[in-house]
Amino acid sequence: MSDLTLIHLIVALNILVQLMLIGRLRFPSGGKRKYYVFAVAIPVLVLVSIRLLTASGMIHGRVADQPPIEQYITAAASIMLMFGPWLATLAAILDKKRSGWMIKTRKEG
């Protein structure tokens, strides 16, 4: 298997795990959809944007040939590939906690 295929496989498995975690949260009907979309869209947009930058020649395809600024862009994209779905899951958890807190304060007041 090529490195690119393995990267895509790892990102896809990470997305799948995060979708399962988001699916375990109890939201009102339709409340999970936006988090599902974010968990999938963030890595897909990063992959597409990096491929477009590489295809257009704005970023070198080999990291060894990249100047420091391009290496920083590549590193940031790599971080977003792995942590984008985690951020969507974290946002879903925090939204769930916030909405639970709001309901609790409404009942007390």
Side-chain angles (χ1 to χ4, degrees):
M1 277 186 155
S2 70
D3 291 340
L4 185 61
T5 305
L6 289 175
I7 290 170
H8 288 181
L9 179 65
I10 291 169
V11 170
L13 290 174
N14 185 27
I15 292 170
L16 180 65
V17 168
Q18 298 310 314
L19 291 177
M20 289 172 26
L21 289 173
I22 293 170
R24 298 287 311 235
L25 297 173
R26 294 188 181 182
F27 277 100
S29 63
K32 297 179 196 178
R33 239 178 251 137
K34 63 182 171 184
Y35 299 110
Y36 285 148
V37 169
F38 288 144
V40 174
I42 292 171
V44 168
L45 290 175
V46 170
L47 280 172
V48 168
S49 64
I50 289 298
R51 293 293 159 227
L52 287 174
L53 288 173
T54 304
S56 67
M58 295 178 75
I59 290 182
H60 291 85
R62 292 185 52 206
V63 178
D65 296 336
Q66 293 178 346
I69 189 70
E70 290 179 8
Q71 289 179 0
Y72 292 135
I73 293 169
T74 304
S78 300
I79 291 169
M80 284 307 295
L81 275 177
M82 290 309 296
F83 291 113
W86 282 93
L87 291 175
T89 304
L90 180 64
I93 291 169
L94 292 176
D95 185 33
K96 181 71 176 149
K97 297 253 186 220
R98 183 188 57 86
S99 64
W101 177 78
M102 289 175 62
I103 291 171
K104 182 179 176 182
T105 57
R106 285 183 190 157
K107 287 182 181 178
E108 290 175 358

